[in-house]
């Protein structure tokens, strides 16, 4: 079990989830990145920035 | 680094890539790739012996405008250093480490004509099967992962009429064209480019005389968000032509990739393992990723460099960033190879 850094609710991962995968908190919907599996920790997923570029 | 400098020194604007392609093919072979040139001129190198197929697809052409190649204060200046020979060479140097891999088969491709009509990418789309993972070589910065590009459609407008005295009430072709452009601009476009909105650019407009007639040609660049209705746009344009003609290239839709896959997690892991702070980027421009996203496989664009320097006379890349991106790509490819058990 890990804790959502946004709403504090407990999160349990399905089997096979890897470090750095992006998941959603089922309680608050926040987009999270799995930082470590043991212990299970999360951060908010990296922000999306707009950028010029071809 | 030597590879990048030499490739940048080999000037290769769109449609004139052969010299750079021949040089690049020799370098691929020296690094252990099986290399060949396809019928349109793309450089293709394959390495590794695994069942998991990773394509690293960059482009070897540049916009026109040669620049002196200078290595100074840890920066390499020159046309294509950022857009996008830095990315292509980083792909090559990273993939070379997987020569003996039993998990990965990596294909590095330097496409031609990305800066013109993307004919190189269309050839790859036709000739190759979809990979398991696809990375497009475009500058995202070493901490950045590009997940989206806007769509694009180029339009060519022409209006011709008989000459009138300027004291007469009839509008000139230039006035007719400006009125048309402003109409579609007001109906569809936002003043400031953003990923979620369409925008228009009047790229050029030229008046001409043709016997007793006068005319106007305009080239218009339309950039579009996800799910933009090109047909609705064209219907509106055609309903407002008032005797003008309008031609357009094939519309290329916007792309916004799914972040929940092993490709994205492997790159995030690679960036974090180098103490980077990852960022996702959505670009207001367009790239070969728009075309190759049709494979519907996990795809992102990644590569060293600051894309605000694309196409400028100040184009340069930080050597430190270039080397860091190679190291991150190697880490990401190792992480991808670790997920082979979930595939087979």
């Amino acid at each position: 079990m890990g804790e959502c850094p946004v709403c504090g609710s407990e999160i349990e991962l399905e089997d096979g989830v890897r470090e750095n995968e992006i998941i959603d908190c089922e309680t608050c919907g926040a987009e999270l990145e799995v930082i470590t599996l043991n212990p299970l920790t999360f951060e908010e997923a990296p922000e999306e920035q707009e950028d010029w570029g071809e | 680094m030597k590879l990048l400098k030499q490739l940048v020194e080999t000037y290769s604007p769109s449609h004139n890539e052969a010299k750079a392609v021949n040089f690049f093919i020799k370098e691929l072979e020296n690094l252990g790739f099986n290399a060949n040139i396809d019928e349109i001129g793309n450089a293709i190198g394959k390495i590794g012996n695994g069942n998991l197929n990773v394509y690293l697809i960059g482009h070897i052409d540049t916009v026109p405008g040669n620049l002196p190649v200078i290595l100074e204060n840890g920066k390499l200046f020159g046309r294509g250093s950022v857009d996008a020979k830095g990315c292509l060479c980083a792909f090559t140097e990273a993939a070379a480490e997987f020569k003996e891999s039993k998990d990965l088969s990596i294909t590095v491709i330097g496409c031609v004509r990305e800066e013109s009509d993307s004919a190189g990418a269309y050839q790859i789309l036709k000739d190759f099967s979809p990979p398991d993972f696809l990375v497009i070589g475009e500058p995202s910065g070493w901490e950045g992962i590009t997940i989206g590009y806007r769509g694009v459609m180029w339009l060519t407008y022409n209006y011709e009429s008989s000459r009138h005295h300027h004291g007469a009430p009839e509008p000139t072709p230039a006035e007719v064209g400006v009125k048309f452009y402003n109409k579609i601009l007001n109906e569809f476009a936002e003043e400031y480019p953003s990923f979620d909105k369409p925008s228009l650019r009047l790229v050029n407009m030229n008046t001409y005389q043709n016997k007793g007639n006068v005319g106007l040609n305009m080239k218009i660049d339309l950039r579009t968000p996800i799910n933009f209705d090109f047909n609705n746009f064209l219907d509106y344009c055609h309903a407002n032509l008032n005797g003008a003609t309008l031609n357009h290239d094939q519309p290329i839709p916007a792309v916004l990739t799914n972040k929940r896959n092993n490709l994205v997690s492997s790159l995030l892991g690679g960036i974090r393992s180098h103490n980077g702070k990852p960022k996702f980027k959505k670009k207001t421009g367009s790239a070969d990723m728009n075309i190759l996203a049709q494979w519907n496989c996990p795809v992102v664009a990644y590569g060293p460099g600051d894309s605000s320097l694309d196409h400028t006379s100040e184009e340069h890349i930080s050597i430190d960033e270039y080397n860091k991106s190679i190291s991150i790509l190697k880490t990401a490819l190792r992480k991808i190879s670790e997920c082979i058990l979930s595939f087979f």
Side-chain angles (χ1 to χ4, degrees):
Chain A
M1 288 276 203
E3 187 176 285
C4 174
V6 178
C7 69
S9 62
E10 288 192 336
I11 299 176
E12 196 168 357
L13 293 183
E14 294 172 8
D15 287 347
V17 172
R18 303 169 77 216
E19 277 185 4
N20 308 110
E21 271 198 43
I22 304 293
I23 62 147
D24 295 318
C25 172
E26 288 184 2
T27 306
C28 69
E31 207 169 57
L32 306 174
E33 180 183 347
V34 180
I35 299 298
T36 59
L37 287 169
N38 191 16
L40 187 54
T41 61
F42 303 95
E43 280 185 15
E44 285 189 76
E47 63 174 315
E48 293 182 0
Q49 301 176 343
E50 288 199 7
D51 189 6
W52 188 92
E54 287 281 83
Chain B
M1 169 54 213
K2 190 179 159 202
L3 171 68
L4 173 60
K5 184 165 183 285
Q6 288 183 310
L7 192 60
V8 172
E9 283 169 341
T10 313
Y11 179 53
S12 54
S14 298
H15 299 274
N16 286 289
E17 302 97 338
K19 195 172 167 195
V21 167
N22 289 331
F23 163 77
F24 186 56
I25 286 286
K26 284 199 182 79
E27 293 299 312
L28 287 170
E29 287 170 343
N30 290 340
L31 288 165
F33 288 78
N34 289 318
N36 69 286
I37 303 171
D38 71 9
E39 64 183 81
I40 206 161
N42 292 320
I44 300 165
K46 297 181 180 179
I47 202 162
N49 304 294
N51 289 320
L52 207 54
N53 281 300
V54 180
Y55 295 173
L56 306 176
I57 302 183
H59 64 95
I60 200 161
D61 65 316
T62 69
V63 291
N66 205 1
L67 300 170
V69 179
I70 300 166
L71 184 57
E72 189 176 77
N73 299 325
K75 295 171 185 168
L76 178 69
F77 290 78
R79 177 61 70 218
S81 54
V82 175
D83 188 15
K85 291 178 176 177
C87 307
L88 180 60
C89 293
F91 283 179
T92 305
E93 295 202 46
E97 188 176 283
F98 295 83
K99 186 180 175 186
E100 306 299 332
S101 176
K102 299 283 186 280
D103 299 322
L104 300 183
S105 288
I106 303 174
T107 304
V108 174
I109 300 176
C111 281
V112 294
R113 293 163 58 174
E114 193 269 352
E115 300 288 3
S116 61
D117 55 8
S118 288
Y122 281 114
Q123 186 73 38
I124 296 301
L125 191 66
K126 183 164 80 80
D127 291 346
F128 282 72
S129 301
D132 296 301
F133 299 109
L134 170 62
V135 185
I136 301 295
E138 287 287 346
S140 57
W142 72 276
E143 296 176 294
I145 299 171
T146 301
I147 57 170
Y149 283 96
R150 283 198 301 176
V152 60
M153 182 166 66
W154 288 84
L155 304 133
T156 309
Y157 171 96
N158 173 259
Y159 180 78
E160 193 171 304
S161 69
S162 55
R163 182 190 298 279
H164 298 282
H165 190 282
H166 284 182
E170 286 81 5
T172 65
E175 288 168 337
V176 173
V178 166
K179 191 174 173 189
F180 170 77
Y181 181 76
N182 283 333
K183 198 161 181 68
I184 58 172
L185 185 72
N186 290 333
E187 183 70 18
F188 287 94
E190 298 290 322
E191 190 175 351
Y192 194 82
S194 74
F195 187 79
D196 298 321
K197 307 278 186 191
S199 63
L200 282 164
R201 281 287 155 89
L202 182 53
V203 179
N204 61 49
M205 60 189 304
N206 297 296
T207 53
Y208 62 89
Q209 299 189 30
N210 180 21
K211 297 176 185 164
N213 287 349
V214 286
L216 172 77
N217 286 318
M218 290 194 297
K219 194 162 188 184
I220 299 167
D221 177 359
L222 169 70
R223 301 295 166 132
T224 62
I226 296 292
N227 296 326
F228 182 78
D229 188 339
F230 285 99
N231 289 330
N232 177 50
F233 173 81
L234 288 169
D235 286 347
Y236 185 86
C237 288
H238 286 126
N240 288 281
L241 281 177
N242 295 320
T245 60
L246 188 71
N247 293 305
H248 61 87
D249 290 349
Q250 183 180 350
I252 299 172
V255 55
L256 184 61
T257 192
N258 182 358
K259 291 181 286 188
R260 289 157 181 76
N261 57 58
N262 286 325
L263 176 61
V264 170
S265 65
S266 296
L267 272 167
L268 286 174
I271 293 166
R272 289 202 186 277
S273 71
H274 290 74
N275 299 316
K277 191 175 177 213
K279 305 168 186 69
F280 290 121
K281 294 193 174 182
K282 297 190 293 191
K283 303 267 191 175
T284 53
S286 314
D288 279 350
M289 181 160 139
N290 296 68
I291 295 160
L292 297 171
Q294 291 178 48
W295 274 326
N296 283 321
C297 64
V299 55
V300 296
Y302 180 78
D306 175 357
S307 61
S308 70
L309 297 168
D310 290 3
H311 305 188
T312 70
S313 56
E314 298 300 313
E315 185 169 358
H316 66 268
I317 192 164
S318 150
I319 299 306
D320 179 57
E321 176 171 0
Y322 173 72
N323 289 330
K324 218 177 266 185
S325 72
I326 293 170
S327 189
I328 287 166
L329 282 163
K330 286 180 184 174
T331 304
L333 287 166
R334 280 194 289 273
K335 286 176 179 286
I336 286 172
S337 70
E338 288 163 10
C339 71
I340 194 163
L341 289 175
S342 65
F343 268 76
F344 303 105

